[in-house]
PDB file of all heavy atoms in Angstrom:
ATOM      1  N   VAL W 292     115.337  89.806 129.786  1.00 94.00           N
ATOM      2  CA  VAL W 292     116.386  89.070 130.492  1.00 94.00           C
ATOM      3  C   VAL W 292     116.876  89.831 131.714  1.00 94.00           C
ATOM      4  O   VAL W 292     116.707  91.042 131.832  1.00 94.00           O
ATOM      5  CB  VAL W 292     117.573  88.753 129.554  1.00 94.00           C
ATOM      6  CG1 VAL W 292     117.124  87.961 128.350  1.00 94.00           C
ATOM      7  CG2 VAL W 292     118.279  90.027 129.106  1.00 94.00           C
ATOM      8  N   GLY W 293     117.512  89.080 132.616  1.00 90.00           N
ATOM      9  CA  GLY W 293     118.071  89.658 133.829  1.00 90.00           C
ATOM     10  C   GLY W 293     118.151  88.607 134.913  1.00 90.00           C
ATOM     11  O   GLY W 293     117.587  87.513 134.799  1.00 90.00           O
ATOM     12  N   GLU W 294     118.858  88.945 136.000  1.00 87.00           N
ATOM     13  CA  GLU W 294     118.989  88.026 137.125  1.00 87.00           C
ATOM     14  C   GLU W 294     117.652  87.837 137.844  1.00 87.00           C
ATOM     15  O   GLU W 294     116.721  88.631 137.685  1.00 87.00           O
ATOM     16  CB  GLU W 294     120.007  88.581 138.133  1.00 87.00           C
ATOM     17  CG  GLU W 294     121.443  88.609 137.636  1.00 87.00           C
ATOM     18  CD  GLU W 294     122.337  89.414 138.565  1.00 87.00           C
ATOM     19  OE1 GLU W 294     122.342  90.649 138.461  1.00 87.00           O
ATOM     20  OE2 GLU W 294     123.035  88.793 139.380  1.00 87.00           O
ATOM     21  N   SER W 295     117.573  86.801 138.669  1.00 85.00           N
ATOM     22  CA  SER W 295     116.387  86.590 139.493  1.00 85.00           C
ATOM     23  C   SER W 295     116.174  87.806 140.386  1.00 85.00           C
ATOM     24  O   SER W 295     117.120  88.339 140.960  1.00 85.00           O
ATOM     25  CB  SER W 295     116.555  85.342 140.366  1.00 85.00           C
ATOM     26  OG  SER W 295     116.664  84.193 139.562  1.00 85.00           O
ATOM     27  N   GLY W 296     114.906  88.245 140.481  1.00 85.00           N
ATOM     28  CA  GLY W 296     114.593  89.388 141.327  1.00 85.00           C
ATOM     29  C   GLY W 296     114.673  90.731 140.643  1.00 85.00           C
ATOM     30  O   GLY W 296     114.484  91.762 141.281  1.00 85.00           O
ATOM     31  N   CYS W 297     114.930  90.734 139.324  1.00 90.00           N
ATOM     32  CA  CYS W 297     115.082  92.021 138.627  1.00 90.00           C
ATOM     33  C   CYS W 297     113.750  92.613 138.182  1.00 90.00           C
ATOM     34  O   CYS W 297     113.701  93.771 137.767  1.00 90.00           O
ATOM     35  CB  CYS W 297     116.022  91.877 137.436  1.00 90.00           C
ATOM     36  SG  CYS W 297     115.302  90.985 136.048  1.00 90.00           S
ATOM     37  N   GLY W 298     112.662  91.843 138.236  1.00 91.00           N
ATOM     38  CA  GLY W 298     111.353  92.379 137.874  1.00 91.00           C
ATOM     39  C   GLY W 298     110.747  91.794 136.614  1.00 91.00           C
ATOM     40  O   GLY W 298     109.672  92.229 136.181  1.00 91.00           O
ATOM     41  N   LYS W 299     111.389  90.787 136.008  1.00 93.00           N
ATOM     42  CA  LYS W 299     110.893  90.219 134.755  1.00 93.00           C
ATOM     43  C   LYS W 299     109.504  89.603 134.928  1.00 93.00           C
ATOM     44  O   LYS W 299     108.576  89.911 134.181  1.00 93.00           O
ATOM     45  CB  LYS W 299     111.857  89.139 134.232  1.00 93.00           C
ATOM     46  CG  LYS W 299     113.304  89.544 134.090  1.00 93.00           C
ATOM     47  CD  LYS W 299     114.135  88.457 133.453  1.00 93.00           C
ATOM     48  CE  LYS W 299     114.140  87.141 134.180  1.00 93.00           C
ATOM     49  NZ  LYS W 299     114.771  87.191 135.520  1.00 93.00           N
ATOM     50  N   SER W 300     109.383  88.704 135.892  1.00 92.00           N
ATOM     51  CA  SER W 300     108.104  88.003 136.078  1.00 92.00           C
ATOM     52  C   SER W 300     107.009  88.948 136.556  1.00 92.00           C
ATOM     53  O   SER W 300     105.843  88.789 136.180  1.00 92.00           O
ATOM     54  CB  SER W 300     108.276  86.846 137.072  1.00 92.00           C
ATOM     55  OG  SER W 300     109.128  85.847 136.528  1.00 92.00           O
ATOM     56  N   VAL W 301     107.367  89.927 137.384  1.00 94.00           N
ATOM     57  CA  VAL W 301     106.366  90.898 137.852  1.00 94.00           C
ATOM     58  C   VAL W 301     105.849  91.716 136.676  1.00 94.00           C
ATOM     59  O   VAL W 301     104.659  92.046 136.605  1.00 94.00           O
ATOM     60  CB  VAL W 301     106.947  91.804 138.952  1.00 94.00           C
ATOM     61  CG1 VAL W 301     105.951  92.890 139.340  1.00 94.00           C
ATOM     62  CG2 VAL W 301     107.314  90.983 140.180  1.00 94.00           C
ATOM     63  N   THR W 302     106.717  92.025 135.717  1.00 95.00           N
ATOM     64  CA  THR W 302     106.279  92.728 134.510  1.00 95.00           C
ATOM     65  C   THR W 302     105.249  91.889 133.756  1.00 95.00           C
ATOM     66  O   THR W 302     104.196  92.388 133.337  1.00 95.00           O
ATOM     67  CB  THR W 302     107.478  93.029 133.599  1.00 95.00           C
ATOM     68  OG1 THR W 302     108.404  93.876 134.296  1.00 95.00           O
ATOM     69  CG2 THR W 302     107.041  93.729 132.317  1.00 95.00           C
ATOM     70  N   ALA W 303     105.541  90.589 133.604  1.00 94.00           N
ATOM     71  CA  ALA W 303     104.610  89.697 132.898  1.00 94.00           C
ATOM     72  C   ALA W 303     103.289  89.566 133.640  1.00 94.00           C
ATOM     73  O   ALA W 303     102.211  89.616 133.038  1.00 94.00           O
ATOM     74  CB  ALA W 303     105.246  88.322 132.715  1.00 94.00           C
ATOM     75  N   LEU W 304     103.347  89.396 134.954  1.00 93.00           N
ATOM     76  CA  LEU W 304     102.127  89.267 135.750  1.00 93.00           C
ATOM     77  C   LEU W 304     101.318  90.566 135.735  1.00 93.00           C
ATOM     78  O   LEU W 304     100.089  90.538 135.825  1.00 93.00           O
ATOM     79  CB  LEU W 304     102.473  88.873 137.185  1.00 93.00           C
ATOM     80  CG  LEU W 304     103.035  87.454 137.362  1.00 93.00           C
ATOM     81  CD1 LEU W 304     103.500  87.228 138.793  1.00 93.00           C
ATOM     82  CD2 LEU W 304     101.987  86.403 136.975  1.00 93.00           C
ATOM     83  N   SER W 305     102.004  91.702 135.606  1.00 95.00           N
ATOM     84  CA  SER W 305     101.298  92.979 135.488  1.00 95.00           C
ATOM     85  C   SER W 305     100.527  93.040 134.178  1.00 95.00           C
ATOM     86  O   SER W 305      99.386  93.517 134.138  1.00 95.00           O
ATOM     87  CB  SER W 305     102.292  94.148 135.574  1.00 95.00           C
ATOM     88  OG  SER W 305     102.954  94.181 136.824  1.00 95.00           O
ATOM     89  N   VAL W 306     101.156  92.565 133.090  1.00 95.00           N
ATOM     90  CA  VAL W 306     100.471  92.533 131.794  1.00 95.00           C
ATOM     91  C   VAL W 306      99.219  91.657 131.883  1.00 95.00           C
ATOM     92  O   VAL W 306      98.159  92.005 131.334  1.00 95.00           O
ATOM     93  CB  VAL W 306     101.414  92.019 130.684  1.00 95.00           C
ATOM     94  CG1 VAL W 306     100.648  91.766 129.388  1.00 95.00           C
ATOM     95  CG2 VAL W 306     102.549  93.013 130.448  1.00 95.00           C
ATOM     96  N   MET W 307      99.317  90.553 132.595  1.00 93.00           N
ATOM     97  CA  MET W 307      98.178  89.637 132.752  1.00 93.00           C
ATOM     98  C   MET W 307      97.199  90.097 133.834  1.00 93.00           C
ATOM     99  O   MET W 307      96.144  89.497 134.009  1.00 93.00           O
ATOM    100  CB  MET W 307      98.679  88.231 133.108  1.00 93.00           C
ATOM    101  CG  MET W 307      99.543  87.584 132.050  1.00 93.00           C
ATOM    102  SD  MET W 307      98.609  87.140 130.581  1.00 93.00           S
ATOM    103  CE  MET W 307      97.770  85.662 131.142  1.00 93.00           C
ATOM    104  N   ARG W 308      97.577  91.139 134.553  1.00 94.00           N
ATOM    105  CA  ARG W 308      96.805  91.632 135.706  1.00 94.00           C
ATOM    106  C   ARG W 308      96.577  90.530 136.732  1.00 94.00           C
ATOM    107  O   ARG W 308      95.476  90.318 137.225  1.00 94.00           O
ATOM    108  CB  ARG W 308      95.492  92.270 135.257  1.00 94.00           C
ATOM    109  CG  ARG W 308      95.652  93.756 135.000  1.00 94.00           C
ATOM    110  CD  ARG W 308      94.387  94.462 134.638  1.00 94.00           C
ATOM    111  NE  ARG W 308      93.262  94.166 135.496  1.00 94.00           N
ATOM    112  CZ  ARG W 308      92.006  94.558 135.241  1.00 94.00           C
ATOM    113  NH1 ARG W 308      91.753  95.258 134.150  1.00 94.00           N
ATOM    114  NH2 ARG W 308      91.031  94.253 136.059  1.00 94.00           N
ATOM    115  N   LEU W 309      97.688  89.854 137.061  1.00 93.00           N
ATOM    116  CA  LEU W 309      97.645  88.773 138.043  1.00 93.00           C
ATOM    117  C   LEU W 309      98.494  89.098 139.269  1.00 93.00           C
ATOM    118  O   LEU W 309      98.891  88.194 140.009  1.00 93.00           O
ATOM    119  CB  LEU W 309      98.125  87.460 137.405  1.00 93.00           C
ATOM    120  CG  LEU W 309      97.190  86.843 136.372  1.00 93.00           C
ATOM    121  CD1 LEU W 309      97.846  85.629 135.713  1.00 93.00           C
ATOM    122  CD2 LEU W 309      95.851  86.456 136.998  1.00 93.00           C
ATOM    123  N   ILE W 310      98.794  90.370 139.487  1.00 93.00           N
ATOM    124  CA  ILE W 310      99.554  90.783 140.664  1.00 93.00           C
ATOM    125  C   ILE W 310      98.695  90.556 141.908  1.00 93.00           C
ATOM    126  O   ILE W 310      97.559  91.053 141.978  1.00 93.00           O
ATOM    127  CB  ILE W 310      99.956  92.275 140.566  1.00 93.00           C
ATOM    128  CG1 ILE W 310     100.893  92.507 139.378  1.00 93.00           C
ATOM    129  CG2 ILE W 310     100.602  92.760 141.859  1.00 93.00           C
ATOM    130  CD1 ILE W 310     102.230  91.825 139.489  1.00 93.00           C
ATOM    131  N   PRO W 311      99.188  89.807 142.899  1.00 91.00           N
ATOM    132  CA  PRO W 311      98.397  89.588 144.120  1.00 91.00           C
ATOM    133  C   PRO W 311      98.197  90.895 144.884  1.00 91.00           C
ATOM    134  O   PRO W 311      99.167  91.584 145.216  1.00 91.00           O
ATOM    135  CB  PRO W 311      99.242  88.584 144.913  1.00 91.00           C
ATOM    136  CG  PRO W 311     100.640  88.743 144.399  1.00 91.00           C
ATOM    137  CD  PRO W 311     100.501  89.135 142.962  1.00 91.00           C
ATOM    138  N   SER W 312      96.941  91.239 145.157  1.00 87.00           N
ATOM    139  CA  SER W 312      96.638  92.503 145.814  1.00 87.00           C
ATOM    140  C   SER W 312      95.691  92.275 146.986  1.00 87.00           C
ATOM    141  O   SER W 312      94.576  91.760 146.785  1.00 87.00           O
ATOM    142  CB  SER W 312      95.994  93.467 144.818  1.00 87.00           C
ATOM    143  OG  SER W 312      95.649  94.694 145.430  1.00 87.00           O
ATOM    144  N   PRO W 313      96.067  92.668 148.243  1.00 88.00           N
ATOM    145  CA  PRO W 313      97.411  93.127 148.587  1.00 88.00           C
ATOM    146  C   PRO W 313      98.391  91.967 148.599  1.00 88.00           C
ATOM    147  O   PRO W 313      97.954  90.826 148.539  1.00 88.00           O
ATOM    148  CB  PRO W 313      97.188  93.710 150.000  1.00 88.00           C
ATOM    149  CG  PRO W 313      96.031  92.909 150.556  1.00 88.00           C
ATOM    150  CD  PRO W 313      95.152  92.600 149.386  1.00 88.00           C
ATOM    151  N   PRO W 314      99.691  92.245 148.663  1.00 92.00           N
ATOM    152  CA  PRO W 314     100.370  93.528 148.884  1.00 92.00           C
ATOM    153  C   PRO W 314     100.725  94.266 147.592  1.00 92.00           C
ATOM    154  O   PRO W 314     101.158  95.401 147.637  1.00 92.00           O
ATOM    155  CB  PRO W 314     101.629  93.118 149.633  1.00 92.00           C
ATOM    156  CG  PRO W 314     101.974  91.787 149.031  1.00 92.00           C
ATOM    157  CD  PRO W 314     100.650  91.122 148.726  1.00 92.00           C
ATOM    158  N   GLY W 315     100.559  93.608 146.427  1.00 93.00           N
ATOM    159  CA  GLY W 315     101.004  94.226 145.184  1.00 93.00           C
ATOM    160  C   GLY W 315      99.991  95.214 144.628  1.00 93.00           C
ATOM    161  O   GLY W 315      98.785  95.097 144.870  1.00 93.00           O
ATOM    162  N   LYS W 316     100.498  96.172 143.867  1.00 94.00           N
ATOM    163  CA  LYS W 316      99.614  97.145 143.225  1.00 94.00           C
ATOM    164  C   LYS W 316     100.310  97.734 142.010  1.00 94.00           C
ATOM    165  O   LYS W 316     101.484  98.110 142.083  1.00 94.00           O
ATOM    166  CB  LYS W 316      99.252  98.269 144.203  1.00 94.00           C
ATOM    167  CG  LYS W 316      98.289  99.301 143.616  1.00 94.00           C
ATOM    168  CD  LYS W 316      98.029 100.435 144.598  1.00 94.00           C
ATOM    169  CE  LYS W 316      97.117 101.488 143.976  1.00 94.00           C
ATOM    170  NZ  LYS W 316      96.920 102.652 144.883  1.00 94.00           N
ATOM    171  N   ILE W 317      99.589  97.786 140.887  1.00 96.00           N
ATOM    172  CA  ILE W 317     100.095  98.497 139.714  1.00 96.00           C
ATOM    173  C   ILE W 317      99.869  99.978 139.975  1.00 96.00           C
ATOM    174  O   ILE W 317      98.732 100.454 139.995  1.00 96.00           O
ATOM    175  CB  ILE W 317      99.388  98.035 138.432  1.00 96.00           C
ATOM    176  CG1 ILE W 317      99.671  96.547 138.190  1.00 96.00           C
ATOM    177  CG2 ILE W 317      99.846  98.864 137.232  1.00 96.00           C
ATOM    178  CD1 ILE W 317      98.925  95.959 136.996  1.00 96.00           C
ATOM    179  N   GLU W 318     100.942 100.700 140.219  1.00 95.00           N
ATOM    180  CA  GLU W 318     100.854 102.088 140.665  1.00 95.00           C
ATOM    181  C   GLU W 318     100.533 103.052 139.525  1.00 95.00           C
ATOM    182  O   GLU W 318      99.809 104.027 139.713  1.00 95.00           O
ATOM    183  CB  GLU W 318     102.180 102.509 141.332  1.00 95.00           C
ATOM    184  CG  GLU W 318     102.564 101.668 142.537  1.00 95.00           C
ATOM    185  CD  GLU W 318     101.751 102.003 143.769  1.00 95.00           C
ATOM    186  OE1 GLU W 318     101.168 103.111 143.823  1.00 95.00           O
ATOM    187  OE2 GLU W 318     101.688 101.153 144.683  1.00 95.00           O
ATOM    188  N   SER W 319     101.098 102.799 138.352  1.00 94.00           N
ATOM    189  CA  SER W 319     100.907 103.737 137.250  1.00 94.00           C
ATOM    190  C   SER W 319     101.277 103.063 135.935  1.00 94.00           C
ATOM    191  O   SER W 319     101.872 101.984 135.922  1.00 94.00           O
ATOM    192  CB  SER W 319     101.768 104.996 137.447  1.00 94.00           C
ATOM    193  OG  SER W 319     103.144 104.652 137.509  1.00 94.00           O
ATOM    194  N   GLY W 320     100.908 103.734 134.837  1.00 95.00           N
ATOM    195  CA  GLY W 320     101.283 103.249 133.521  1.00 95.00           C
ATOM    196  C   GLY W 320     100.097 102.831 132.687  1.00 95.00           C
ATOM    197  O   GLY W 320      98.938 102.884 133.125  1.00 95.00           O
ATOM    198  N   LYS W 321     100.388 102.408 131.469  1.00 95.00           N
ATOM    199  CA  LYS W 321      99.381 101.905 130.541  1.00 95.00           C
ATOM    200  C   LYS W 321      99.876 100.589 129.948  1.00 95.00           C
ATOM    201  O   LYS W 321     101.077 100.437 129.698  1.00 95.00           O
ATOM    202  CB  LYS W 321      99.136 102.911 129.412  1.00 95.00           C
ATOM    203  CG  LYS W 321      98.477 104.207 129.840  1.00 95.00           C
ATOM    204  CD  LYS W 321      98.398 105.192 128.687  1.00 95.00           C
ATOM    205  CE  LYS W 321      97.450 104.721 127.597  1.00 95.00           C
ATOM    206  NZ  LYS W 321      97.309 105.731 126.513  1.00 95.00           N
ATOM    207  N   ILE W 322      98.958  99.656 129.745  1.00 96.00           N
ATOM    208  CA  ILE W 322      99.267  98.398 129.064  1.00 96.00           C
ATOM    209  C   ILE W 322      98.252  98.263 127.943  1.00 96.00           C
ATOM    210  O   ILE W 322      97.099  97.871 128.178  1.00 96.00           O
ATOM    211  CB  ILE W 322      99.197  97.192 130.029  1.00 96.00           C
ATOM    212  CG1 ILE W 322     100.159  97.378 131.206  1.00 96.00           C
ATOM    213  CG2 ILE W 322      99.525  95.906 129.274  1.00 96.00           C
ATOM    214  CD1 ILE W 322     100.031  96.318 132.286  1.00 96.00           C
ATOM    215  N   VAL W 323      98.659  98.625 126.732  1.00 96.00           N
ATOM    216  CA  VAL W 323      97.743  98.654 125.597  1.00 96.00           C
ATOM    217  C   VAL W 323      97.938  97.390 124.763  1.00 96.00           C
ATOM    218  O   VAL W 323      99.033  97.128 124.268  1.00 96.00           O
ATOM    219  CB  VAL W 323      97.960  99.911 124.727  1.00 96.00           C
ATOM    220  CG1 VAL W 323      96.999  99.910 123.538  1.00 96.00           C
ATOM    221  CG2 VAL W 323      97.771 101.177 125.565  1.00 96.00           C
ATOM    222  N   PHE W 324      96.876  96.609 124.639  1.00 95.00           N
ATOM    223  CA  PHE W 324      96.898  95.382 123.861  1.00 95.00           C
ATOM    224  C   PHE W 324      95.783  95.452 122.831  1.00 95.00           C
ATOM    225  O   PHE W 324      94.607  95.580 123.190  1.00 95.00           O
ATOM    226  CB  PHE W 324      96.711  94.160 124.769  1.00 95.00           C
ATOM    227  CG  PHE W 324      96.645  92.860 124.035  1.00 95.00           C
ATOM    228  CD1 PHE W 324      97.805  92.247 123.598  1.00 95.00           C
ATOM    229  CD2 PHE W 324      95.425  92.245 123.767  1.00 95.00           C
ATOM    230  CE1 PHE W 324      97.756  91.045 122.914  1.00 95.00           C
ATOM    231  CE2 PHE W 324      95.361  91.054 123.080  1.00 95.00           C
ATOM    232  CZ  PHE W 324      96.540  90.452 122.650  1.00 95.00           C
ATOM    233  N   SER W 325      96.149  95.413 121.556  1.00 89.00           N
ATOM    234  CA  SER W 325      95.163  95.515 120.473  1.00 89.00           C
ATOM    235  C   SER W 325      94.230  96.708 120.690  1.00 89.00           C
ATOM    236  O   SER W 325      92.997  96.573 120.647  1.00 89.00           O
ATOM    237  CB  SER W 325      94.354  94.218 120.359  1.00 89.00           C
ATOM    238  OG  SER W 325      95.167  93.146 119.945  1.00 89.00           O
ATOM    239  N   ASP W 326      94.829  97.860 120.952  1.00 88.00           N
ATOM    240  CA  ASP W 326      94.094  99.128 121.108  1.00 88.00           C
ATOM    241  C   ASP W 326      93.230  99.202 122.359  1.00 88.00           C
ATOM    242  O   ASP W 326      92.420 100.114 122.504  1.00 88.00           O
ATOM    243  CB  ASP W 326      93.215  99.412 119.877  1.00 88.00           C
ATOM    244  CG  ASP W 326      94.036  99.524 118.598  1.00 88.00           C
ATOM    245  OD1 ASP W 326      95.141 100.077 118.679  1.00 88.00           O
ATOM    246  OD2 ASP W 326      93.577  99.054 117.557  1.00 88.00           O
ATOM    247  N   ARG W 327      93.391  98.262 123.302  1.00 92.00           N
ATOM    248  CA  ARG W 327      92.655  98.321 124.569  1.00 92.00           C
ATOM    249  C   ARG W 327      93.644  98.465 125.718  1.00 92.00           C
ATOM    250  O   ARG W 327      94.623  97.717 125.782  1.00 92.00           O
ATOM    251  CB  ARG W 327      91.831  97.051 124.784  1.00 92.00           C
ATOM    252  CG  ARG W 327      90.660  96.868 123.831  1.00 92.00           C
ATOM    253  CD  ARG W 327      90.020  95.502 124.028  1.00 92.00           C
ATOM    254  NE  ARG W 327      90.933  94.432 123.650  1.00 92.00           N
ATOM    255  CZ  ARG W 327      90.692  93.147 123.851  1.00 92.00           C
ATOM    256  NH1 ARG W 327      89.575  92.766 124.456  1.00 92.00           N
ATOM    257  NH2 ARG W 327      91.555  92.230 123.451  1.00 92.00           N
ATOM    258  N   ASP W 328      93.391  99.408 126.627  1.00 94.00           N
ATOM    259  CA  ASP W 328      94.225  99.538 127.818  1.00 94.00           C
ATOM    260  C   ASP W 328      93.744  98.505 128.835  1.00 94.00           C
ATOM    261  O   ASP W 328      92.654  98.621 129.394  1.00 94.00           O
ATOM    262  CB  ASP W 328      94.122 100.954 128.400  1.00 94.00           C
ATOM    263  CG  ASP W 328      95.097 101.169 129.562  1.00 94.00           C
ATOM    264  OD1 ASP W 328      95.716 100.184 130.019  1.00 94.00           O
ATOM    265  OD2 ASP W 328      95.233 102.322 130.008  1.00 94.00           O
ATOM    266  N   LEU W 329      94.557  97.478 129.059  1.00 95.00           N
ATOM    267  CA  LEU W 329      94.151  96.375 129.931  1.00 95.00           C
ATOM    268  C   LEU W 329      93.905  96.835 131.365  1.00 95.00           C
ATOM    269  O   LEU W 329      93.129  96.209 132.094  1.00 95.00           O
ATOM    270  CB  LEU W 329      95.218  95.268 129.919  1.00 95.00           C
ATOM    271  CG  LEU W 329      95.518  94.622 128.562  1.00 95.00           C
ATOM    272  CD1 LEU W 329      96.512  93.483 128.732  1.00 95.00           C
ATOM    273  CD2 LEU W 329      94.240  94.125 127.890  1.00 95.00           C
ATOM    274  N   LEU W 330      94.539  97.927 131.767  1.00 94.00           N
ATOM    275  CA  LEU W 330      94.380  98.398 133.142  1.00 94.00           C
ATOM    276  C   LEU W 330      93.021  99.042 133.378  1.00 94.00           C
ATOM    277  O   LEU W 330      92.641  99.282 134.527  1.00 94.00           O
ATOM    278  CB  LEU W 330      95.500  99.377 133.501  1.00 94.00           C
ATOM    279  CG  LEU W 330      96.919  98.806 133.454  1.00 94.00           C
ATOM    280  CD1 LEU W 330      97.932  99.833 133.934  1.00 94.00           C
ATOM    281  CD2 LEU W 330      97.035  97.528 134.295  1.00 94.00           C
ATOM    282  N   THR W 331      92.298  99.333 132.306  1.00 94.00           N
ATOM    283  CA  THR W 331      90.982  99.956 132.455  1.00 94.00           C
ATOM    284  C   THR W 331      89.835  98.952 132.276  1.00 94.00           C
ATOM    285  O   THR W 331      88.684  99.304 132.475  1.00 94.00           O
ATOM    286  CB  THR W 331      90.792 101.093 131.428  1.00 94.00           C
ATOM    287  OG1 THR W 331      90.780 100.546 130.101  1.00 94.00           O
ATOM    288  CG2 THR W 331      91.908 102.116 131.536  1.00 94.00           C
ATOM    289  N   LEU W 332      90.155  97.707 131.915  1.00 93.00           N
ATOM    290  CA  LEU W 332      89.112  96.705 131.693  1.00 93.00           C
ATOM    291  C   LEU W 332      88.546  96.190 133.007  1.00 93.00           C
ATOM    292  O   LEU W 332      89.256  96.109 134.019  1.00 93.00           O
ATOM    293  CB  LEU W 332      89.659  95.520 130.893  1.00 93.00           C
ATOM    294  CG  LEU W 332      90.146  95.769 129.464  1.00 93.00           C
ATOM    295  CD1 LEU W 332      90.549  94.447 128.819  1.00 93.00           C
ATOM    296  CD2 LEU W 332      89.093  96.468 128.627  1.00 93.00           C
TER     297      LEU W 332
END
């Protein structure tokens, strides 16, 4: 939860790896789903 513009939807799109690139970029972190890091797939 949070106000519009707080980063909620960007967090969800990052999990789905649907961030438009450019200009967006997942800079760092891990997203582990069922023992798989989605950022490495």
Side-chain angles (χ1 to χ4, degrees):
V292 302
E294 292 169 279
S295 296
C297 73
K299 307 185 301 295
S300 294
V301 175
T302 299
L304 291 173
S305 298
V306 171
M307 297 290 283
R308 270 184 48 189
L309 290 174
I310 297 295
S312 178
K316 182 183 177 184
I317 297 176
E318 301 284 340
S319 60
K321 292 174 67 176
I322 302 173
V323 179
F324 177 80
S325 294
D326 300 322
R327 292 173 294 173
D328 186 351
L329 300 184
L330 298 185
T331 65
L332 296 184

